[in-house]
Amino acid sequence: MKKLIFKILPVMLLLIGAFIVLSGCEKKKENKNPLKNTEWKLVNFVDVANNTNKTPEPNSEMCYILKFLETGDSLTAVSSTNNFIGTYTIDIKTSSISIAMGGTKINEIGDGISYVKSLNTVEKYMIDNNILKLYYNDNKNYLEFKRR
């Protein structure tokens, strides 16, 4: 009987240990921030109610960039002519997000001011196939970004 216990006990301990480790890994995957260390280019202002898109002006690869940094909850943004820094808060379970940015709005052209105002009022996010949608205005509008 003792020999049987000494054979089963190590196997049981190993299985329990593996279960604890694997359970811990699964929880970390659920809480992983999908925006961390990503960079995005605005491609459209979208009006959900009217089902319309507007390409931001000026339409340049250098404008309307949003980068979520690797460390902390920091981000940077480029509008039509200015650079911004800020922070964001994200809730993965509810897909909610809030962004707070600072910087000047000097000499903004085209859709620069609309872009900055929209970013500062986002409420929800969705990521699907390298497309990021940041919803604002009670989900009536969103900024549509493509991953860079």
Side-chain angles (χ1 to χ4, degrees):
M1 182 72 172
K2 286 184 181 180
K3 288 183 180 183
L4 182 62
I5 290 175
F6 285 116
K7 287 182 181 180
I8 294 175
L9 186 62
V11 172
M12 291 300 291
L13 290 175
L14 183 61
L15 288 173
I16 291 170
F19 177 76
I20 291 170
V21 169
L22 292 175
S23 296
C25 291
E26 184 63 30
K27 287 180 183 177
K28 288 180 184 177
K29 286 181 183 178
E30 287 177 17
N31 293 327
K32 186 177 177 193
N33 180 345
L35 296 174
K36 192 173 286 274
N37 199 30
T38 60
E39 186 172 334
W40 306 88
K41 165 77 171 117
L42 181 68
V43 292
N44 284 306
F45 288 92
V46 179
D47 183 332
V48 176
N50 296 317
N51 197 25
T52 58
N53 300 351
K54 179 187 182 307
T55 303
E57 294 294 329
N59 190 4
S60 165
E61 283 300 312
M62 303 303 291
C63 298
Y64 309 115
I65 307 300
L66 183 60
K67 185 173 184 179
F68 295 90
L69 303 179
E70 169 104 31
T71 56
D73 56 358
S74 301
L75 59 84
T76 61
V78 179
S79 63
S80 60
T81 57
N82 291 290
N83 295 319
F84 296 86
I85 58 170
T87 60
Y88 67 102
T89 304
I90 186 172
D91 185 331
I92 296 160
K93 291 179 183 175
T94 63
S95 298
S96 65
I97 185 171
S98 64
I99 294 175
M101 294 188 318
T104 65
K105 297 176 188 165
I106 297 172
N107 299 324
E108 286 291 350
I109 58 174
D111 293 307
I113 291 176
S114 295
Y115 173 68
V116 174
K117 283 183 182 178
S118 299
L119 280 176
N120 280 316
T121 61
V122 297
E123 304 153 343
K124 181 181 167 187
Y125 75 95
M126 184 183 340
I127 301 173
D128 186 28
N129 291 329
N130 292 322
I131 299 294
L132 169 65
K133 296 176 182 178
L134 294 179
Y135 290 85
Y136 61 99
N137 191 21
D138 292 324
N139 297 329
K140 295 175 188 166
N141 305 92
Y142 64 85
L143 300 170
E144 182 179 32
F145 292 85
K146 188 173 184 178
R147 189 184 297 260
R148 289 182 78 176

